[in-house]
Amino acid sequence: MVRIPFLDLPPLTAASGSVALPGSKSISNRVLLLAGLAAGTTVVHDLLDSDDTRVMLEALRTLGCGLQTEGRTLHVTGLGGRLQVHEARLFLGNAGTAMRPLAAALAVLAATQGGDFQLSGVARMHERPIGDLVDALRPLGCAVDDLGQPGYPPLRLRGTAGGRLRTAQPIRVRGDVSSQFLTALLLALPLVSADGPVVIEVDGELISKPYIEITLNLLARFGIAVQRDGWQRFTIPAGSQYATPGHVHVEGDASSASYFVAMGAIAAHGGAPVHISGVGSDSIQGDIRFVDAAEAMGALVRRGPGWLEVRRGRWPLRGITIDANHIPDAAMTLAVMALYADSPTRITGIASWRVKETDRITAMATELRKLGAAVVDGPDFIEVRPPAAWQAAAVHTYDDHRMAMCLSLAAFNPLCATAPGNVPVRILDPGCVAKTFPDYFEALFGLVQADPAQVPVITIDGPTASGKGTLAAAVAEALGYVLLDSGALYRATGLAAQWDGVAPDDEAGVARLAGMLDLRFGHGPEGSRAWLRGHEVSEQLRQESAGLLASRVSALPAVRQALQGLQLAFRRAPGLVADGRDMGTVVFPDAPLKVFLTASAATRAERRYKQLISKGIPANIDSLRADLEARDLRDTSRAVAPLKPAEDALLLDNSHLGIEASVQQVLAWWAQRRPFQA
Ligand code: DC
């Protein structure tokens, strides 16, 4: 998805169907680092492709690891514990799972093999603490410089070859701010365990223990059998060495699963469940235990290895009180499920929310209040009561993927049993989901249903060559909406008639073909593409001859009738931009914004002329203009659905307007029709 400023979700009424989860972020970045440090080649299957894994891959590439993509697998050839590059600056975005372990590994490698590395990230990364890790590394003999505020990235890690680390004493690390500090040490210290065991002792109560279990599990797969005494003491045996397991499969992300589990619990009420593939009963991720909490709230869940199936059980949901220390990320989803409960939900043990991508306690409380919920928050807890009246809110996402994904669930507000809503939800900066789940909203739209009357439509009608196709496509892209180029349906119908030898004035014959039109649309780098009966017809449909044929078949009432259902089916969440001749007058008469685009015949002929010439197609401006005027006449004077502005259409004469200015005008009109405050 292109990075758009906001995405409006219409009120949603149901969810069902299947979703395949992207790979786990926590597993992906750990596996990448382990494979990058180990000797030999590791083949990684189903790796997550997202912002956070991309910065890790970039770092490994800079450090000299071999990375090769083959189909859906990545082949990582590791360093075998030996630095190849001794000086580098690594930019790690906002990926805690890259910053912390790389800082530890490079500190250890620089201190023993010589090196000079600088690690930095986005501004928020420089507000996320790393001091506890640095405090553990310095007594070991690692030279770590704070390049900004002490205790926060950016960091510089230095050392000279031949240095030795003080590993004879236990290494102490705090475990009560982030478990990633312990994970970082566990991943880095096998690099220096050749001569003796390395012991790590945790100060304070260790939080997020399940993430440590993932670390230990993956270390074991790479040949390091860490001995664990309770959650206080971890020993890396002497002589431990990374060994690639050959192949590693990355399971789906359990935190990402939480949104679909919630969707099932809230909205799978019609019999069919939400089926989730990628994680299940055999998951090694701690967030899988979110499922238990969702069940406690009312979800009906079936599970097996690699899959979950969820439907609505108790309704309304039941509010719960839960210490969510063990599921910090997925617990955010509980705060949004709380909107659909008949009693308050209190989530405790979540102080770590304050040092994540954003201060998640404040962010969640602020945004849930905008929706109408009553929220109380404290240093390490949040309590949510469902709205008494839902408000159409433009919710901030704080460059936090989980805020965006969680808050999308508020769009099911019509289902709320205690106080049903009927409001759209505006998600600001929806592209932030790229951190872990770039296709989240596409997956959401693949599962949900909305009352068509609640799905907004913008119609853009106008004469041939007025630029409405370009305008409609740009508006649809800016809003993240579905696009309907209705002219293409008439063009394809004309083409189908030609293929089958049906005369363009054989009304019944052409209408029959229109009724069974097997037309599919897709996207390519060159723009939209189309396939008729499995054959690509993108170019053919754009030709003048196809337009002329379309103009003839579109005058037949039975043909227009036959294409009606197909056009209505484009009205899907999150919304539709439809261009044609009668979108505002006949097909979507209830559209909340109708635009009628005009431009003088001279301007339109000139545009079409330039378009053809630029494609190397010979053209004559006078005959083009004559053709346009003849088509205008036929389109405006035909008996059915003649081309004319709807009574409530806004006229836009773009004879002297560039495409960008036209798009801005339509978006400004659209903004006036939306219920959100600026
Ligand atoms: O927009 P276009 O040039 O692709 O349209 C081709 C022909 O199809 C045009 O001459 C009129 C007809 N048409 C129509 O009658 N109703 C529509 N909604 C769209 C196109």
Side-chain angles (χ1 to χ4, degrees), residues 468 486-487 491 551 554 560 581-583 631 635 638:
K468 60 189 165 16
S486 62
R491 289 168 183 255
S551 174
S554 65
R560 302 200 74 84
R581 301 294 186 288
D582 61 343
M583 296 297 99
R631 268 169 73 185
D635 291 348
R638 69 186 176 214

Side-chain angles (χ1 to χ4, degrees), residues 16-22 251-265 268 273-282 288 290-291 294 299-311 437 443 447:
S16 62
S18 297
V19 61
L21 295 171
E251 61 178 74
D253 194 290
S255 316
S256 300
S258 71
Y259 314 113
F260 299 97
V261 172
M263 230 175 268
V274 170
H275 183 94
I276 303 161
S277 60
V279 288
S281 50
D282 54 346
I288 195 68
F290 165 84
V291 174
L300 275 186
V301 184
R302 289 191 337 116
R303 66 193 97 183
W307 62 269
L308 300 167
E309 209 171 80
V310 189
R311 60 188 90 222
F437 200 155
L447 296 175

